[in-house]
Amino acid sequence: MEALRDTDPAHIGAQALLARLGAGGMGQVYLGRSPGGRLVAVKVIRDEITGHPEALARFRREAETVRAVRSAYTANLIDASLEAPPYWIATEYVAGPTLSHAVAERGALPTDTCRRLFAALAEGLASVHAYGVTHRDLKPQNVILGAQGPQLIDFGIARGVGDTALTQDGQAPGTPGYTAPEVLLGAEAGAAADVFALGATLAYAATGRPPFGTGAAATVSYRAVHEPIDVSGVEPGLAALIGACVAKDPAQRPDPAEVIRRCGVRDALLDDPVYAGLGVLGEAVPVHEMRTQGPGMPYGYTPTQHAAGAAGPAPRQRRRALWVAAAVALAVVGAVAVWKLPLGGKGGEDPRTGAQSPGAGGPSGTPAAQSPAAQSPAGPPVFIKQTGPNIDDFDPTKNTCKEPVEEQAKSDFQIAVTTAESDYLHEVKPGTVQIGFRMKYAPDDMPPYYVAVVVKPQHEIDENGRSTSVTNNRQLGFVAKARNVYEGVGTNWKDLTYPDDFSMELNGKKVKAPSLAQEPGGWTVVFRHATSDTEHKSMFCTGFIS
């Protein structure tokens, strides 16, 4: 819980705001008080995405799902505004930490506590399923440890019987490590998929570790499909129950009632001293901090509205604002999506979507862009160099790159770009981006195939590593050391971290990659096939938002 900021409104609808509870890709969540004095959690959709049809559809679905499911394990809907901006929903406020936060702070939970929590969450799932709803994104971040027991939150991608899917083509709902194998492979997420997520969630609670390890999203999802869950050190009986819940075949998983029976719980969860000590009573509510004034009208709210008479943003700021707006629109989809695992080799196939590789650009490293003097003798690449203007540019509004690739990627080449904004906070250190690539199939005795990854911000960078005012960026970007995809075991992912592994050469000077905070906005990521430091061609392009 955080204090309100000067830019926060005093009211949203009829709810007086008291504090900030958190934020996500969809919007900001506030602690509020209803006119009758009831504490509520108010989620406000960001105004940058109010024109995004899928975002609004998800938000309305969440409100309707919460309205329909009247369970002791979910927060009831209090009020909502869904017809015109500002869009918001207010639900009962449930005090207490998330399971993710509690385990991160206190470590793995003991076996008896896990069994009691397992049974309570299974009962919650059974209650939700009784309404014909599947949650589809159960994970430690979406479980609040309340005084009366755990509460399930975030029904933004929940589905009722007969509902139409809202996820983009080529994507599966959920979060890597908690999404069931059949969903990753293209099947619909049913009740058994929620049981898989339940088992993975309890594995996290019992071990304090991500259930299928860390790394790029595609790597974690691959393990969920093909490898056993991590229950090392867990009491055998509890480990066996977790293993049953995460069986690869959904037909082999127990239903929630069977999970409850196997837990063998005989007393109340709140009587568990460990559970009671996790802060389930929540933080003190700032009852004396209600403001009477704030930006906007008392019963309306536009989060990014400028003060009356204020000058408009400078050109650079305006460009950045457009990137941020697009970023949030994409995050609404990305934060609840796992890229489906590719099932075979089709030329240039994007391992996240199954679509053909989006364009990457231009003459930034092609022989045609070099003068004879700029070329160097062929040899194994180390750090590729710029040989001409680089026009690679990722367009976040279309989720593609603006220029065609220079070389078709090999049929089994796969990539993964994972950011904290993707809601994989337990896998990616805040402020960094995890980038990986591999050849899915690696026959023996393959000749070296070097790949260099380039990360380019929207502004050019000077020799001191500072952003310039040049927004039409034609620099190559920050590069990581080229790696042979067949080095070692070729099918293993080659993982890189931005900014740690990236740098740029300017006028003979090595410039370290800047932090994401220094250059908020859109970033372009290009995978280049390199035959030498000065001979390299783009073969795959994507991007992310900081």
Side-chain angles (χ1 to χ4, degrees), residues 181-262:
E182 68 272 17
V183 179
L184 291 168
L185 296 175
E188 183 55 65
D194 278 352
V195 172
F196 180 95
L198 173 64
T201 296
L202 261 294
Y204 171 80
T207 66
R209 302 185 297 269
F212 289 96
T214 61
T219 302
V220 175
S221 296
Y222 179 89
R223 296 188 193 118
V225 173
H226 299 288
E227 298 177 8
I229 196 167
D230 175 14
V231 288
S232 176
V234 178
E235 185 272 327
L238 179 60
L241 181 53
I242 291 172
C245 289
V246 298
K248 305 303 183 187
D249 181 359
Q252 299 300 314
R253 297 171 201 152
D255 62 19
E258 176 65 12
V259 172
I260 296 169
R261 187 192 69 78
R262 291 180 60 175

Side-chain angles (χ1 to χ4, degrees), residues 362-376 385 387-388 406-407 528-532 534-538:
S364 55
T366 62
Q370 305 172 25
S371 65
Q375 298 185 31
S376 62
K385 303 180 185 299
T387 57
E406 298 167 304
E407 173 181 302
R528 304 187 72 87
H529 174 209
T531 54
S532 74
T534 56
E535 297 174 327
H536 42 90
K537 295 182 179 181
S538 61

Side-chain angles (χ1 to χ4, degrees), residues 160-187:
V161 176
D163 281 348
T164 301
L166 290 176
T167 51
Q168 290 181 327
D169 291 342
Q171 296 177 0
T175 298
Y178 300 93
T179 302
E182 68 272 17
V183 179
L184 291 168
L185 296 175

